[in-house]
Amino acid sequence: MGPIEAAPYGRSRVTRAQVLEDVLDVLDVQSPVTALSGAPVPLRNLPSAHGGILGAQLLGQQVALAERLYPGKRVQSLQTLFVRSGTWEGTLEAHVEQLQRGRTFASVSLAFRQGPELICRAQVLLTADEPGPAPATTPGRPRPDPPDTTPVAVALLPWETRLAAGGTWQDHELWMRVRSVPADATLWRALVAYACEPTTLPLFIADRGAADRPHTSLMVAQTVTFFEDIDVRDWYVVRTEVPYAGAERVHGRGQVLDGGGTPRALFTTVGLFRLAAGG
């Protein structure tokens, strides 16, 4: 697998690729308490080459919004259905429905809308960590030496990203770190959710040489489950595999591990990829 090049930005009045400051800006979600009473929360959008709203952005905002609504709790699991692509130049609002709130868990439904149109819906489970026995984890892998990784450019990941040797689009490890971020565990989880989205479908498209061919591609559904905090300012790895791609669907799953190889999160994705006639 060769180096992954950033996708060109030239449509929808986009004049430059994503930069970290843009991502941090849209993830800076300050949810008013009135959101739990039905008041919509206004959100900002990242510019996109295809004109739609980026799924990575929506996942990160869902994590940030849920945790701002429930101080003292963190996201345990996130299940998102992407209904429409919308437009990044339009107004985006989050509508909140509280499902349950207790001492240990809380659950909330988030509907992101542009006017009357539903863009995506997420079911979020939050938890308050409690003391218990030592966690049981799978043995970690040692961190690869620099010669075993190659710097790559992924359009939606504007931070240090390296590909481990021997990776293919079906089974690969992307190492990354985001050094210039605040010490905020909510923001770290939002960035992890954001980074899980572009690790399957975009790499599949790049491997097929389809980035410059007429096609339709979009993420249909994604889940993310968090185990423990992970500090994204240090190296961590997104290990992804694609167990099935066919019938115009790309199914991915993966783990997020810290630099020592300890699992911190799991995710699954369902994407659509369709070449245009003659493409």
Side-chain angles (χ1 to χ4, degrees), residues 25-72:
D25 182 62
V26 301
L27 296 182
D28 182 21
V29 176
Q30 301 300 324
S31 56
V33 176
T34 53
L36 292 174
S37 301
V41 180
L43 301 168
R44 295 178 291 276
N45 292 319
L46 286 167
S48 72
H50 53 70
I53 301 173
L54 297 171
Q57 167 202 309
L58 297 171
L59 293 169
Q61 288 175 324
Q62 289 159 6
V63 171
L65 175 57
E67 294 199 10
R68 300 308 185 203
L69 285 168
Y70 296 94

mmCIF file of all heavy atoms in Angstrom, residues 25-72:
data_model
loop_
_atom_site.group_PDB
_atom_site.id
_atom_site.type_symbol
_atom_site.label_atom_id
_atom_site.label_comp_id
_atom_site.label_asym_id
_atom_site.label_seq_id
_atom_site.Cartn_x
_atom_site.Cartn_y
_atom_site.Cartn_z
ATOM 1 N N ASP A 25 -12.292 23.794 16.556
ATOM 2 C CA ASP A 25 -13.339 24.799 16.620
ATOM 3 C C ASP A 25 -14.725 24.154 16.569
ATOM 4 O O ASP A 25 -15.602 24.474 17.372
ATOM 5 C CB ASP A 25 -13.182 25.803 15.479
ATOM 6 C CG ASP A 25 -14.238 26.899 15.528
ATOM 7 O OD1 ASP A 25 -14.273 27.657 16.520
ATOM 8 O OD2 ASP A 25 -15.038 27.002 14.572
ATOM 9 N N VAL A 26 -14.943 23.219 15.649
ATOM 10 C CA VAL A 26 -16.279 22.618 15.537
ATOM 11 C C VAL A 26 -16.560 21.656 16.690
ATOM 12 O O VAL A 26 -17.734 21.378 16.993
ATOM 13 C CB VAL A 26 -16.467 21.895 14.189
ATOM 14 C CG1 VAL A 26 -16.279 22.851 13.026
ATOM 15 C CG2 VAL A 26 -15.558 20.698 14.053
ATOM 16 N N LEU A 27 -15.508 21.147 17.338
ATOM 17 C CA LEU A 27 -15.709 20.255 18.481
ATOM 18 C C LEU A 27 -15.866 21.015 19.793
ATOM 19 O O LEU A 27 -16.138 20.408 20.836
ATOM 20 C CB LEU A 27 -14.544 19.273 18.603
ATOM 21 C CG LEU A 27 -14.365 18.283 17.448
ATOM 22 C CD1 LEU A 27 -13.199 17.342 17.735
ATOM 23 C CD2 LEU A 27 -15.635 17.492 17.177
ATOM 24 N N ASP A 28 -15.726 22.338 19.747
ATOM 25 C CA ASP A 28 -15.890 23.169 20.942
ATOM 26 C C ASP A 28 -17.386 23.401 21.158
ATOM 27 O O ASP A 28 -17.920 24.480 20.902
ATOM 28 C CB ASP A 28 -15.146 24.492 20.783
ATOM 29 C CG ASP A 28 -15.239 25.365 22.025
ATOM 30 O OD1 ASP A 28 -15.524 24.811 23.117
ATOM 31 O OD2 ASP A 28 -15.047 26.583 21.912
ATOM 32 N N VAL A 29 -18.062 22.357 21.611
ATOM 33 C CA VAL A 29 -19.511 22.387 21.793
ATOM 34 C C VAL A 29 -19.822 22.786 23.229
ATOM 35 O O VAL A 29 -19.406 22.111 24.170
ATOM 36 C CB VAL A 29 -20.132 21.011 21.482
ATOM 37 C CG1 VAL A 29 -21.630 21.025 21.759
ATOM 38 C CG2 VAL A 29 -19.852 20.619 20.038
ATOM 39 N N GLN A 30 -20.522 23.873 23.375
ATOM 40 C CA GLN A 30 -20.946 24.314 24.696
ATOM 41 C C GLN A 30 -22.459 24.175 24.767
ATOM 42 O O GLN A 30 -23.198 25.013 24.253
ATOM 43 C CB GLN A 30 -20.513 25.767 24.956
ATOM 44 C CG GLN A 30 -19.022 25.986 24.861
ATOM 45 C CD GLN A 30 -18.240 25.150 25.863
ATOM 46 O OE1 GLN A 30 -18.690 24.929 26.984
ATOM 47 N NE2 GLN A 30 -17.060 24.690 25.456
ATOM 48 N N SER A 31 -22.931 23.103 25.366
ATOM 49 C CA SER A 31 -24.363 22.810 25.359
ATOM 50 C C SER A 31 -25.058 23.477 26.537
ATOM 51 O O SER A 31 -24.719 23.226 27.687
ATOM 52 C CB SER A 31 -24.582 21.300 25.405
ATOM 53 O OG SER A 31 -23.926 20.758 26.523
ATOM 54 N N PRO A 32 -26.050 24.328 26.284
ATOM 55 C CA PRO A 32 -26.788 24.944 27.385
ATOM 56 C C PRO A 32 -27.664 23.911 28.081
ATOM 57 O O PRO A 32 -28.087 22.924 27.483
ATOM 58 C CB PRO A 32 -27.639 26.006 26.679
ATOM 59 C CG PRO A 32 -27.799 25.494 25.278
ATOM 60 C CD PRO A 32 -26.529 24.765 24.961
ATOM 61 N N VAL A 33 -27.925 24.139 29.366
ATOM 62 C CA VAL A 33 -28.777 23.226 30.131
ATOM 63 C C VAL A 33 -30.152 23.125 29.496
ATOM 64 O O VAL A 33 -30.810 22.078 29.555
ATOM 65 C CB VAL A 33 -28.876 23.699 31.597
ATOM 66 C CG1 VAL A 33 -29.840 22.809 32.381
ATOM 67 C CG2 VAL A 33 -27.511 23.695 32.257
ATOM 68 N N THR A 34 -30.611 24.196 28.836
ATOM 69 C CA THR A 34 -31.933 24.188 28.215
ATOM 70 C C THR A 34 -32.038 23.168 27.104
ATOM 71 O O THR A 34 -33.148 22.857 26.659
ATOM 72 C CB THR A 34 -32.273 25.584 27.664
ATOM 73 O OG1 THR A 34 -31.195 26.014 26.809
ATOM 74 C CG2 THR A 34 -32.451 26.587 28.770
ATOM 75 N N ALA A 35 -30.908 22.625 26.643
ATOM 76 C CA ALA A 35 -30.971 21.605 25.600
ATOM 77 C C ALA A 35 -31.740 20.385 26.083
ATOM 78 O O ALA A 35 -32.419 19.715 25.296
ATOM 79 C CB ALA A 35 -29.564 21.205 25.164
ATOM 80 N N LEU A 36 -31.664 20.089 27.389
ATOM 81 C CA LEU A 36 -32.394 18.951 27.931
ATOM 82 C C LEU A 36 -33.889 19.225 28.011
ATOM 83 O O LEU A 36 -34.673 18.307 28.236
ATOM 84 C CB LEU A 36 -31.849 18.587 29.312
ATOM 85 C CG LEU A 36 -30.430 18.018 29.340
ATOM 86 C CD1 LEU A 36 -29.944 17.824 30.764
ATOM 87 C CD2 LEU A 36 -30.373 16.697 28.577
ATOM 88 N N SER A 37 -34.266 20.482 27.813
ATOM 89 C CA SER A 37 -35.688 20.847 27.796
ATOM 90 C C SER A 37 -36.214 21.031 26.381
ATOM 91 O O SER A 37 -37.350 21.478 26.200
ATOM 92 C CB SER A 37 -35.905 22.142 28.601
ATOM 93 O OG SER A 37 -35.476 21.977 29.936
ATOM 94 N N GLY A 38 -35.388 20.729 25.411
ATOM 95 C CA GLY A 38 -35.855 20.777 24.027
ATOM 96 C C GLY A 38 -35.278 21.888 23.180
ATOM 97 O O GLY A 38 -35.536 21.931 21.978
ATOM 98 N N ALA A 39 -34.490 22.792 23.755
ATOM 99 C CA ALA A 39 -33.914 23.881 22.970
ATOM 100 C C ALA A 39 -32.791 23.334 22.088
ATOM 101 O O ALA A 39 -31.899 22.640 22.585
ATOM 102 C CB ALA A 39 -33.367 24.973 23.880
ATOM 103 N N PRO A 40 -32.819 23.613 20.777
ATOM 104 C CA PRO A 40 -31.757 23.097 19.899
ATOM 105 C C PRO A 40 -30.417 23.755 20.194
ATOM 106 O O PRO A 40 -30.347 24.895 20.643
ATOM 107 C CB PRO A 40 -32.259 23.447 18.492
ATOM 108 C CG PRO A 40 -33.190 24.602 18.688
ATOM 109 C CD PRO A 40 -33.821 24.393 20.036
ATOM 110 N N VAL A 41 -29.346 23.005 19.936
ATOM 111 C CA VAL A 41 -27.983 23.494 20.141
ATOM 112 C C VAL A 41 -27.376 23.793 18.770
ATOM 113 O O VAL A 41 -27.254 22.890 17.937
ATOM 114 C CB VAL A 41 -27.128 22.437 20.868
ATOM 115 C CG1 VAL A 41 -25.705 22.954 21.064
ATOM 116 C CG2 VAL A 41 -27.760 22.056 22.207
ATOM 117 N N PRO A 42 -26.993 25.047 18.503
ATOM 118 C CA PRO A 42 -26.366 25.360 17.206
ATOM 119 C C PRO A 42 -24.951 24.803 17.134
ATOM 120 O O PRO A 42 -24.205 24.832 18.116
ATOM 121 C CB PRO A 42 -26.365 26.891 17.188
ATOM 122 C CG PRO A 42 -26.372 27.296 18.628
ATOM 123 C CD PRO A 42 -27.140 26.243 19.357
ATOM 124 N N LEU A 43 -24.591 24.286 15.972
ATOM 125 C CA LEU A 43 -23.278 23.685 15.761
ATOM 126 C C LEU A 43 -22.640 24.261 14.514
ATOM 127 O O LEU A 43 -23.324 24.693 13.589
ATOM 128 C CB LEU A 43 -23.403 22.162 15.615
ATOM 129 C CG LEU A 43 -24.024 21.413 16.798
ATOM 130 C CD1 LEU A 43 -24.357 19.984 16.401
ATOM 131 C CD2 LEU A 43 -23.096 21.435 17.998
ATOM 132 N N ARG A 44 -21.297 24.234 14.492
ATOM 133 C CA ARG A 44 -20.551 24.698 13.331
ATOM 134 C C ARG A 44 -20.150 23.506 12.469
ATOM 135 O O ARG A 44 -20.056 22.379 12.963
ATOM 136 C CB ARG A 44 -19.314 25.490 13.769
ATOM 137 C CG ARG A 44 -19.669 26.787 14.497
ATOM 138 C CD ARG A 44 -18.406 27.514 14.955
ATOM 139 N NE ARG A 44 -17.720 26.798 16.030
ATOM 140 C CZ ARG A 44 -18.028 26.904 17.311
ATOM 141 N NH1 ARG A 44 -19.030 27.663 17.705
ATOM 142 N NH2 ARG A 44 -17.341 26.235 18.236
ATOM 143 N N ASN A 45 -19.872 23.763 11.191
ATOM 144 C CA ASN A 45 -19.487 22.710 10.253
ATOM 145 C C ASN A 45 -18.082 22.929 9.722
ATOM 146 O O ASN A 45 -17.639 24.068 9.540
ATOM 147 C CB ASN A 45 -20.447 22.672 9.052
ATOM 148 C CG ASN A 45 -21.838 22.225 9.424
ATOM 149 O OD1 ASN A 45 -22.007 21.302 10.222
ATOM 150 N ND2 ASN A 45 -22.841 22.873 8.863
ATOM 151 N N LEU A 46 -17.416 21.818 9.441
ATOM 152 C CA LEU A 46 -16.160 21.865 8.709
ATOM 153 C C LEU A 46 -16.451 21.949 7.216
ATOM 154 O O LEU A 46 -17.396 21.318 6.729
ATOM 155 C CB LEU A 46 -15.340 20.601 8.975
ATOM 156 C CG LEU A 46 -14.657 20.480 10.326
ATOM 157 C CD1 LEU A 46 -14.176 19.054 10.544
ATOM 158 C CD2 LEU A 46 -13.488 21.454 10.427
ATOM 159 N N PRO A 47 -15.659 22.697 6.458
ATOM 160 C CA PRO A 47 -15.808 22.664 5.003
ATOM 161 C C PRO A 47 -15.447 21.284 4.469
ATOM 162 O O PRO A 47 -14.628 20.570 5.046
ATOM 163 C CB PRO A 47 -14.825 23.732 4.517
ATOM 164 C CG PRO A 47 -13.828 23.873 5.614
ATOM 165 C CD PRO A 47 -14.559 23.585 6.894
ATOM 166 N N SER A 48 -16.093 20.900 3.374
ATOM 167 C CA SER A 48 -15.808 19.593 2.790
ATOM 168 C C SER A 48 -15.687 19.707 1.284
ATOM 169 O O SER A 48 -16.318 20.562 0.664
ATOM 170 C CB SER A 48 -16.902 18.585 3.142
ATOM 171 O OG SER A 48 -18.092 18.859 2.430
ATOM 172 N N ALA A 49 -14.890 18.821 0.700
ATOM 173 C CA ALA A 49 -14.674 18.832 -0.744
ATOM 174 C C ALA A 49 -15.929 18.431 -1.497
ATOM 175 O O ALA A 49 -16.178 18.901 -2.605
ATOM 176 C CB ALA A 49 -13.515 17.898 -1.111
ATOM 177 N N HIS A 50 -16.731 17.539 -0.895
ATOM 178 C CA HIS A 50 -17.922 17.054 -1.600
ATOM 179 C C HIS A 50 -19.152 17.897 -1.321
ATOM 180 O O HIS A 50 -20.205 17.674 -1.910
ATOM 181 C CB HIS A 50 -18.201 15.589 -1.237
ATOM 182 C CG HIS A 50 -18.271 15.334 0.241
ATOM 183 N ND1 HIS A 50 -19.299 15.792 1.038
ATOM 184 C CD2 HIS A 50 -17.436 14.661 1.066
ATOM 185 C CE1 HIS A 50 -19.098 15.407 2.291
ATOM 186 N NE2 HIS A 50 -17.961 14.725 2.331
ATOM 187 N N GLY A 51 -19.053 18.852 -0.411
ATOM 188 C CA GLY A 51 -20.166 19.755 -0.150
ATOM 189 C C GLY A 51 -21.063 19.331 0.988
ATOM 190 O O GLY A 51 -21.840 20.134 1.501
ATOM 191 N N GLY A 52 -20.993 18.040 1.399
ATOM 192 C CA GLY A 52 -21.823 17.562 2.488
ATOM 193 C C GLY A 52 -21.168 17.774 3.840
ATOM 194 O O GLY A 52 -20.055 18.295 3.951
ATOM 195 N N ILE A 53 -21.879 17.359 4.891
ATOM 196 C CA ILE A 53 -21.337 17.446 6.247
ATOM 197 C C ILE A 53 -20.534 16.186 6.517
ATOM 198 O O ILE A 53 -20.976 15.074 6.230
ATOM 199 C CB ILE A 53 -22.469 17.598 7.276
ATOM 200 C CG1 ILE A 53 -23.302 18.854 6.973
ATOM 201 C CG2 ILE A 53 -21.904 17.680 8.691
ATOM 202 C CD1 ILE A 53 -24.535 18.985 7.847
ATOM 203 N N LEU A 54 -19.361 16.334 7.072
ATOM 204 C CA LEU A 54 -18.467 15.210 7.297
ATOM 205 C C LEU A 54 -18.965 14.326 8.446
ATOM 206 O O LEU A 54 -19.273 14.818 9.534
ATOM 207 C CB LEU A 54 -17.061 15.714 7.617
ATOM 208 C CG LEU A 54 -16.370 16.513 6.506
ATOM 209 C CD1 LEU A 54 -15.085 17.125 7.029
ATOM 210 C CD2 LEU A 54 -16.101 15.632 5.298
ATOM 211 N N GLY A 55 -18.994 13.012 8.196
ATOM 212 C CA GLY A 55 -19.391 12.088 9.246
ATOM 213 C C GLY A 55 -18.459 12.138 10.435
ATOM 214 O O GLY A 55 -18.891 12.005 11.585
ATOM 215 N N ALA A 56 -17.166 12.320 10.192
ATOM 216 C CA ALA A 56 -16.196 12.407 11.287
ATOM 217 C C ALA A 56 -16.550 13.565 12.218
ATOM 218 O O ALA A 56 -16.491 13.441 13.449
ATOM 219 C CB ALA A 56 -14.782 12.573 10.722
ATOM 220 N N GLN A 57 -16.907 14.695 11.634
ATOM 221 C CA GLN A 57 -17.300 15.852 12.429
ATOM 222 C C GLN A 57 -18.500 15.528 13.302
ATOM 223 O O GLN A 57 -18.526 15.843 14.504
ATOM 224 C CB GLN A 57 -17.640 17.024 11.504
ATOM 225 C CG GLN A 57 -18.351 18.179 12.204
ATOM 226 C CD GLN A 57 -19.152 19.058 11.248
ATOM 227 O OE1 GLN A 57 -18.627 19.507 10.245
ATOM 228 N NE2 GLN A 57 -20.428 19.282 11.554
ATOM 229 N N LEU A 58 -19.517 14.893 12.725
ATOM 230 C CA LEU A 58 -20.740 14.593 13.463
ATOM 231 C C LEU A 58 -20.469 13.663 14.641
ATOM 232 O O LEU A 58 -21.000 13.870 15.736
ATOM 233 C CB LEU A 58 -21.768 13.971 12.516
ATOM 234 C CG LEU A 58 -22.236 14.869 11.363
ATOM 235 C CD1 LEU A 58 -23.086 14.061 10.373
ATOM 236 C CD2 LEU A 58 -23.018 16.067 11.881
ATOM 237 N N LEU A 59 -19.630 12.654 14.438
ATOM 238 C CA LEU A 59 -19.297 11.739 15.529
ATOM 239 C C LEU A 59 -18.594 12.470 16.670
ATOM 240 O O LEU A 59 -18.920 12.282 17.845
ATOM 241 C CB LEU A 59 -18.408 10.613 15.010
ATOM 242 C CG LEU A 59 -19.048 9.637 14.024
ATOM 243 C CD1 LEU A 59 -17.971 8.748 13.393
ATOM 244 C CD2 LEU A 59 -20.106 8.793 14.701
ATOM 245 N N GLY A 60 -17.623 13.302 16.325
ATOM 246 C CA GLY A 60 -16.916 14.053 17.358
ATOM 247 C C GLY A 60 -17.833 14.993 18.118
ATOM 248 O O GLY A 60 -17.747 15.114 19.355
ATOM 249 N N GLN A 61 -18.741 15.653 17.398
ATOM 250 C CA GLN A 61 -19.670 16.579 18.052
ATOM 251 C C GLN A 61 -20.643 15.840 18.962
ATOM 252 O O GLN A 61 -21.033 16.348 20.013
ATOM 253 C CB GLN A 61 -20.417 17.397 17.010
ATOM 254 C CG GLN A 61 -19.544 18.440 16.317
ATOM 255 C CD GLN A 61 -20.268 19.163 15.196
ATOM 256 O OE1 GLN A 61 -21.075 18.565 14.476
ATOM 257 N NE2 GLN A 61 -19.980 20.440 15.021
ATOM 258 N N GLN A 62 -21.044 14.630 18.574
ATOM 259 C CA GLN A 62 -21.957 13.856 19.416
ATOM 260 C C GLN A 62 -21.312 13.515 20.752
ATOM 261 O O GLN A 62 -21.957 13.613 21.801
ATOM 262 C CB GLN A 62 -22.386 12.591 18.667
ATOM 263 C CG GLN A 62 -23.322 12.866 17.508
ATOM 264 C CD GLN A 62 -23.354 11.750 16.490
ATOM 265 O OE1 GLN A 62 -22.752 10.687 16.680
ATOM 266 N NE2 GLN A 62 -24.052 11.968 15.387
ATOM 267 N N VAL A 63 -20.055 13.114 20.722
ATOM 268 C CA VAL A 63 -19.343 12.814 21.965
ATOM 269 C C VAL A 63 -19.229 14.062 22.829
ATOM 270 O O VAL A 63 -19.533 14.049 24.032
ATOM 271 C CB VAL A 63 -17.951 12.237 21.658
ATOM 272 C CG1 VAL A 63 -17.112 12.132 22.934
ATOM 273 C CG2 VAL A 63 -18.069 10.866 20.995
ATOM 274 N N ALA A 64 -18.783 15.162 22.223
ATOM 275 C CA ALA A 64 -18.591 16.395 22.982
ATOM 276 C C ALA A 64 -19.904 16.899 23.576
ATOM 277 O O ALA A 64 -19.962 17.278 24.753
ATOM 278 C CB ALA A 64 -17.957 17.461 22.084
ATOM 279 N N LEU A 65 -20.961 16.899 22.769
ATOM 280 C CA LEU A 65 -22.248 17.405 23.241
ATOM 281 C C LEU A 65 -22.784 16.548 24.387
ATOM 282 O O LEU A 65 -23.239 17.073 25.412
ATOM 283 C CB LEU A 65 -23.245 17.425 22.081
ATOM 284 C CG LEU A 65 -24.687 17.824 22.415
ATOM 285 C CD1 LEU A 65 -24.728 19.203 23.056
ATOM 286 C CD2 LEU A 65 -25.556 17.783 21.157
ATOM 287 N N ALA A 66 -22.738 15.234 24.249
ATOM 288 C CA ALA A 66 -23.276 14.361 25.286
ATOM 289 C C ALA A 66 -22.545 14.558 26.609
ATOM 290 O O ALA A 66 -23.170 14.629 27.679
ATOM 291 C CB ALA A 66 -23.182 12.903 24.832
ATOM 292 N N GLU A 67 -21.224 14.670 26.554
ATOM 293 C CA GLU A 67 -20.477 14.802 27.809
ATOM 294 C C GLU A 67 -20.626 16.194 28.421
ATOM 295 O O GLU A 67 -20.570 16.340 29.645
ATOM 296 C CB GLU A 67 -19.011 14.454 27.573
ATOM 297 C CG GLU A 67 -18.818 12.990 27.221
ATOM 298 C CD GLU A 67 -17.389 12.503 27.420
ATOM 299 O OE1 GLU A 67 -16.574 13.237 28.014
ATOM 300 O OE2 GLU A 67 -17.095 11.375 26.985
ATOM 301 N N ARG A 68 -20.830 17.230 27.597
ATOM 302 C CA ARG A 68 -21.081 18.564 28.165
ATOM 303 C C ARG A 68 -22.447 18.589 28.845
ATOM 304 O O ARG A 68 -22.650 19.332 29.816
ATOM 305 C CB ARG A 68 -21.015 19.626 27.072
ATOM 306 C CG ARG A 68 -19.691 19.738 26.321
ATOM 307 C CD ARG A 68 -18.484 19.893 27.218
ATOM 308 N NE ARG A 68 -17.266 20.112 26.431
ATOM 309 C CZ ARG A 68 -16.044 19.849 26.863
ATOM 310 N NH1 ARG A 68 -15.860 19.359 28.076
ATOM 311 N NH2 ARG A 68 -14.986 20.072 26.093
ATOM 312 N N LEU A 69 -23.386 17.800 28.337
ATOM 313 C CA LEU A 69 -24.716 17.766 28.939
ATOM 314 C C LEU A 69 -24.732 17.037 30.276
ATOM 315 O O LEU A 69 -25.576 17.304 31.130
ATOM 316 C CB LEU A 69 -25.705 17.080 27.985
ATOM 317 C CG LEU A 69 -26.175 17.886 26.776
ATOM 318 C CD1 LEU A 69 -26.900 16.979 25.796
ATOM 319 C CD2 LEU A 69 -27.085 19.033 27.209
ATOM 320 N N TYR A 70 -23.789 16.093 30.458
ATOM 321 C CA TYR A 70 -23.777 15.267 31.658
ATOM 322 C C TYR A 70 -22.407 15.324 32.318
ATOM 323 O O TYR A 70 -21.622 14.380 32.217
ATOM 324 C CB TYR A 70 -24.146 13.823 31.306
ATOM 325 C CG TYR A 70 -25.554 13.680 30.775
ATOM 326 C CD1 TYR A 70 -25.804 13.702 29.407
ATOM 327 C CD2 TYR A 70 -26.638 13.546 31.639
ATOM 328 C CE1 TYR A 70 -27.091 13.588 28.912
ATOM 329 C CE2 TYR A 70 -27.927 13.427 31.152
ATOM 330 C CZ TYR A 70 -28.152 13.453 29.794
ATOM 331 O OH TYR A 70 -29.427 13.348 29.307
ATOM 332 N N PRO A 71 -22.085 16.418 32.996
ATOM 333 C CA PRO A 71 -20.789 16.524 33.683
ATOM 334 C C PRO A 71 -20.622 15.380 34.680
ATOM 335 O O PRO A 71 -21.562 14.989 35.373
ATOM 336 C CB PRO A 71 -20.874 17.881 34.395
ATOM 337 C CG PRO A 71 -21.928 18.640 33.654
ATOM 338 C CD PRO A 71 -22.914 17.627 33.173
ATOM 339 N N GLY A 72 -19.412 14.836 34.736
ATOM 340 C CA GLY A 72 -19.144 13.733 35.642
ATOM 341 C C GLY A 72 -19.344 12.371 35.020
ATOM 342 O O GLY A 72 -19.016 11.351 35.644
#
